Amino acid sequence: MAIAVAVAVVFFMVGLAMYPGYYEAFAVRKAVNSLAEDSTIGQMGKPAIWSLLEKRFDMSGLYTPTPTKDNLKLDYDKKTGKKRIVVEYDYVRPVFANISVMLHFRHELQVEGTVPGDS
């Protein structure tokens, strides 16, 4: 019985450490997807897109989100002919002692436009 309780406690602690990461990922995904509502997003560069994302993070209550400006990538998908906006980051939180959980998230949006510097 003690072993079953110990296992249950470990799973509970891991779940508790993971929940905020998934909650944050939902808000980040919502912010990235909402960029599609802006008709000029295809012509914007990385600083302007990050500024829009930060405003959306604030509206979602993410005042210190895990993703940073360095986690924002812009490129061009040759197959679809669209600009790809990608926010990819790792969420790491300690569970106990030297044991942590790490979650990897990737949120992607494709829009009409080009990446600055493309010709």
Side-chain angles (χ1 to χ4, degrees):
M1 184 65 135
I3 293 173
V5 170
V7 169
V9 167
V10 168
F11 279 116
F12 178 75
M13 291 179 73
V14 169
L16 227 70
M18 291 171 55
Y19 175 76
Y22 281 107
Y23 180 80
E24 178 182 77
F26 176 75
V28 172
R29 180 180 305 277
K30 185 176 176 184
V32 170
N33 289 341
S34 72
L35 292 175
E37 298 168 5
D38 190 333
S39 60
T40 62
I41 197 74
Q43 288 75 41
M44 290 183 184
K46 187 175 178 177
I49 291 173
W50 183 252
S51 176
L52 287 175
L53 279 174
E54 281 185 317
K55 290 176 187 174
R56 285 165 169 81
F57 292 159
D58 285 346
M59 287 188 287
S60 297
L62 294 179
Y63 302 112
T64 56
T66 302
T68 63
K69 189 175 186 174
D70 295 332
N71 299 119
L72 175 65
K73 307 285 188 261
L74 304 179
D75 65 359
Y76 189 72
D77 188 350
K78 293 182 181 182
K79 289 182 182 178
T80 62
K82 293 187 175 188
K83 179 180 188 175
R84 189 171 28 213
I85 301 168
V86 178
V87 178
E88 188 169 9
Y89 63 99
D90 294 327
Y91 178 88
V92 180
R93 289 297 178 266
V95 178
F96 51 86
N98 63 345
I99 300 173
S100 298
V101 294
M102 184 184 92
L103 307 170
H104 181 80
F105 296 104
R106 178 183 169 92
H107 308 291
E108 181 178 318
L109 175 69
Q110 292 191 358
V111 295
E112 295 295 330
T114 59
V115 176
D118 286 348
S119 46

